[in-house]
Amino acid sequence: MREVCHLHMDIAYAKLAHLAPQYGLYSSFVPPLIYAVMGSSRDIAIGPVAVVSLLLGTLLSNEIDPVTHAAEYRRLAFTATFFAGITQATLGVFRLGFLIDFLSHAAIVGFMGGAAITIALQQLKGFLGIKSKMFTTKTDIVSVLKSVFSSAHHGWNWQTILIGASFLGFLLVAKYIGKKNKKFFWVPAIAPLISVVLSTFFVFITRADKQGVEIVRHIEKGINPSSVKEIYFSGEYLGKGFRIGIVAGMIALTEAIAIGRTFASMKDYQLDGNKEMMALGAMNVVGSMTSCYVATGSFSRSAVNFMAGCQTAVSNIVMSIVVFLTLQFITPLFKYTPNAILAAIIISAVINLVDYQAAILIWKIDKLDFVACMGAFFGVVFATVEIGLLIAVSISFAKILLQVTRPRTAILGKIPRTSVYRNIQQYPEASKVPGVLIVRVDSAIYFSNSNYVKERILRWLIDEDEKVKGDYHTKIQFLIVEMSPVTDIDTSGIQAFEELHRSLTKRSVELVLANPGPAVIDKLYTSNFANSIGEDKIFLTVAEAVAYCSPNLAEYP
């Protein structure tokens, strides 16, 4: 029963990708079988998913019109799927899984939320009964709403709206019941199947399709035909398929790994990321040769499996068997299924992808993460899926660069009645040692940040001297750099320290180092910097360095 509930999703998601309904079913037959043999997650349920279907549909339709050139469009879809699989498998073979971590959690929350709204808006065509030729192929909110309202006078169909709205209400109530009481988890799982059966029966007995209600009509019977000869291995579409495949493959991989990690942590077992990538890659390569488009881990299916108590990947084999039986015997029954019900099912499924609570939490924790989240969200909603992705990745990269090029530095003070030195901003009771400035650098020192670190330390020194101007006794005479957080240093970093040492010498300030790590101390000696400042100026702790700088330390608390 659980697997049957997912069949309508496959048909609906194929529509998102602008492919015939049977391709959604094909993609739920072969890939799950391959994954069940090769994958390491016990909980991931494999098949087409909304976000990847939308992404693929958007990217492909930018290259080829899916209506007027259906055969070429389908071939490009298989080509993109092939290269998506190659991309995923390659990342697994070369252990490059860390690349998908550049899409941060915040960026994914924003991207998924934006994609959910875009997907829901795209469903207004089927939900309102608007004819295809009146509806835009663009995905941005402005184009879609303009298209919806411009067709209001003559394009909407009230029977379609009645079917869509009533069943959408039913699906949302079922979802609410399932959320409120975990014992009724099967209610939202079975609700779509009931909706499809009832709406199909209703259309069949009333012949509402004669009143303008759009129906699925024909789904090809039989299992996946071979599509090896349809993949473009040469010509102008090879490059386009390759480019689209990389993007779709990376997003599909990100979603699958995120889902796999979620359930693995819930059930306390380890997920082999590289094995996952190779399994996903293999299933999409084989899928591209058996009339499938990009499949990945589906959160909604996986959640239903989890709630139903599935313990192993055998659930994917069961899914494949159900799809096989459907393709062989049941597809004619889908003929009178109204498009409105598929639209209602997708809208109810993607609503959960808009995670506003996660966005609020991101805002509270990290404002820059929130900018990445909103950038991805608005990029998808107001521009295109690719632009949303590009913004998300760009802001994530910018954040990394900002943290690498602008590391944190802190002035340390002595905690009263201890020999512990801590950040004076975090511990207001910590007192500065007169005549000594203690600075901590909270990062490795590389070419990207060495100049900033040097200038930041000099700025601290100038600021401290400004405060004590005219008071000879507390003029800064020693600068201690606490280096325990400095995990590494390169030639630019050492050069920056040499320049800092020269600047301090001109100011009659001695440079003292505290607790450099093994990698750092090796490089300080190799470069001869340790000798130039004096080996007696390198100490194990800040307390020892302060004792060297300030013999009269006992006077201070």
Side-chain angles (χ1 to χ4, degrees), residues 78-101:
F78 296 149
T79 308
T81 303
F82 176 80
F83 285 112
I86 294 291
T87 301
Q88 293 167 337
T90 304
L91 291 175
V93 170
F94 292 106
R95 300 185 171 273
L96 297 171
F98 66 87
L99 289 175
I100 62 171
D101 291 331

Side-chain angles (χ1 to χ4, degrees), residues 167-287:
F167 282 105
L168 179 59
F170 168 66
L171 290 165
L172 292 175
V173 168
K175 193 164 273 190
Y176 178 76
I177 291 167
K179 254 189 186 165
K180 273 289 175 192
N181 193 332
K182 290 283 185 262
K183 281 192 294 188
F184 295 120
F185 75 88
W186 52 270
V187 173
I190 202 172
L193 178 65
I194 295 169
S195 304
V196 170
V197 171
L198 288 178
S199 62
T200 304
F201 181 68
F202 172 75
V203 170
F204 177 70
I205 59 166
T206 61
R207 293 315 305 266
D209 53 311
K210 298 260 198 293
Q211 307 298 316
V213 173
E214 292 276 317
I215 55 174
V216 171
R217 297 197 187 282
H218 179 64
I219 299 179
E220 288 284 339
K221 196 176 174 184
I223 59 167
N224 307 29
S226 171
S227 56
V228 178
K229 291 178 181 171
E230 294 201 39
I231 297 171
Y232 289 111
F233 288 115
S234 61
E236 61 166 318
Y237 290 127
L238 172 64
K240 290 173 180 175
F242 179 71
R243 181 174 55 80
I244 295 167
I246 288 176
V247 177
M250 292 290 271
I251 293 302
L253 195 58
T254 303
E255 187 162 354
I257 297 289
I259 293 163
R261 282 175 182 164
T262 302
F263 286 106
S265 64
M266 283 165 75
K267 287 195 174 179
D268 197 27
Y269 66 89
Q270 287 299 308
L271 194 72
D272 185 335
N274 293 305
K275 194 175 174 185
E276 281 297 286
M277 286 183 263
M278 289 168 74
L280 292 161
M283 80 183 194
N284 278 317
V285 168
V286 174

Side-chain angles (χ1 to χ4, degrees), residues 209-362:
D209 53 311
K210 298 260 198 293
Q211 307 298 316
V213 173
E214 292 276 317
I215 55 174
V216 171
R217 297 197 187 282
H218 179 64
I219 299 179
E220 288 284 339
K221 196 176 174 184
I223 59 167
N224 307 29
S226 171
S227 56
V228 178
K229 291 178 181 171
E230 294 201 39
I231 297 171
Y232 289 111
F233 288 115
S234 61
E236 61 166 318
Y237 290 127
L238 172 64
K240 290 173 180 175
F242 179 71
R243 181 174 55 80
I244 295 167
I246 288 176
V247 177
M250 292 290 271
I251 293 302
L253 195 58
T254 303
E255 187 162 354
I257 297 289
I259 293 163
R261 282 175 182 164
T262 302
F263 286 106
S265 64
M266 283 165 75
K267 287 195 174 179
D268 197 27
Y269 66 89
Q270 287 299 308
L271 194 72
D272 185 335
N274 293 305
K275 194 175 174 185
E276 281 297 286
M277 286 183 263
M278 289 168 74
L280 292 161
M283 80 183 194
N284 278 317
V285 168
V286 174
S288 70
M289 298 175 181
T290 51
S291 299
C292 304
Y293 74 95
V294 182
T296 188
S298 162
F299 200 87
S300 56
R301 293 169 203 244
S302 303
V304 170
N305 281 1
F306 177 77
M307 298 293 282
C310 295
Q311 296 296 323
T312 65
V314 172
S315 59
N316 279 308
I317 296 172
V318 176
M319 178 75 205
S320 288
I321 292 167
V322 171
V323 173
F324 168 75
L325 294 172
T326 303
L327 284 165
Q328 287 290 55
F329 307 110
I330 307 173
T331 49
L333 300 180
F334 284 113
K335 181 181 177 183
Y336 289 101
T337 301
N339 286 341
I341 196 68
L342 300 178
I345 288 165
I346 290 182
I347 291 169
S348 71
V350 298
I351 280 172
N352 284 359
L353 293 177
V354 183
D355 195 347
Y356 65 91
Q357 287 173 321
I360 293 166
L361 189 62
I362 290 164

